[in-house]
Amino acid sequence: MKYLIIALSLLTIVSSCDTKKMSETPDSQFIGKWKLSERGMLEGIEIEISKDKKGNFIGLVTKLNDDKYVNMFMEKGDKLLSAIKRNSNFEFVITEKKIAAPLFSAYGQSTTTEFKAVFSGTNKILLGNNGSDGTYLKVK
C-alpha cells in the first residue's frame, strides 16, 4: 500500500509537468532580422543574425538609430552580436559587443556583454530575467 501511494504520487507529479519547456528550442529560430527594444541607447537598432562559414552565429547591424554615441561608434555592417551559445533546451547566452569596444579595450575593460536569452514565442527574444535587459523583436 505504501509503495502504491508513492507510485501514484510520482505519476501525478510527472504527468502535471510542463513538457513544453522540456522540448529543445531550435537555434535556427535566431536566423533573420531583429530589432532591439527596451535597450536604452541601442533602442531601434536592427541586426541580421546568420551563421558564418564555421557555423557560428553573428549579428550584423543593418539599421542604426538616432543616438549620437551609436552614430559615433557604430556603422552599418558592424558585428554587434558575436556569439550565441545554448545553455539548456530552451535557454541561450547571447554575447554582444559593447558600443565603443575599441575604446574599452584600450583601457583594459571588457568589450562584450553576455545576456541570458529565452524565446517568448517565435518572434521575441527576452534578454535577462523575463526581458529585464531588453528584447529582440523579429522584423517581418
Side-chain angles (χ1 to χ4, degrees):
M1 185 68 172
K2 179 179 166 183
Y3 295 113
L4 181 62
I5 292 172
I6 292 173
L8 289 175
S9 298
L10 285 174
L11 185 60
T12 303
I13 291 171
V14 170
S15 66
S16 66
C17 289
D18 182 14
T19 58
K20 184 179 179 183
K21 291 279 188 182
M22 291 182 189
S23 63
E24 188 171 295
T25 303
D27 60 2
S28 61
Q29 275 186 244
F30 283 104
I31 295 174
K33 249 187 183 177
W34 297 88
K35 183 177 183 175
L36 282 62
S37 177
E38 301 171 28
R39 296 292 312 276
M41 73 172 65
L42 298 177
E43 178 82 28
I45 292 177
E46 290 184 8
I47 62 172
E48 176 91 31
I49 299 176
S50 60
K51 285 192 174 187
D52 63 9
K53 293 176 184 175
K54 296 179 183 178
N56 300 319
F57 284 102
I58 57 168
L60 301 178
V61 176
T62 58
K63 182 181 174 188
L64 296 173
N65 63 13
D66 293 332
D67 187 275
K68 69 178 180 179
Y69 295 111
V70 169
N71 288 306
M72 187 182 303
F73 292 109
M74 293 181 104
E75 294 178 2
K76 287 183 183 179
D78 283 353
K79 187 185 337 181
L80 179 66
L81 190 143
S82 57
I84 298 174
K85 295 180 278 187
R86 182 181 291 279
N87 250 4
S88 68
N89 283 350
F90 61 93
E91 187 177 279
F92 300 86
V93 174
I94 291 180
T95 305
E96 284 184 357
K97 188 174 100 175
K98 291 181 181 177
I99 294 177
L103 184 62
F104 284 114
S105 178
Y107 289 99
Q109 300 296 313
S110 170
T111 59
T112 60
T113 305
E114 290 188 343
F115 298 99
K116 181 184 88 166
V118 294
F119 279 92
S120 176
T122 57
N123 297 325
K124 187 174 188 180
I125 302 170
L126 302 175
L127 301 177
N129 295 324
N130 296 322
S132 63
D133 291 324
T135 58
Y136 286 9
L137 302 172
K138 192 118 186 194
V139 177
K140 306 264 179 193

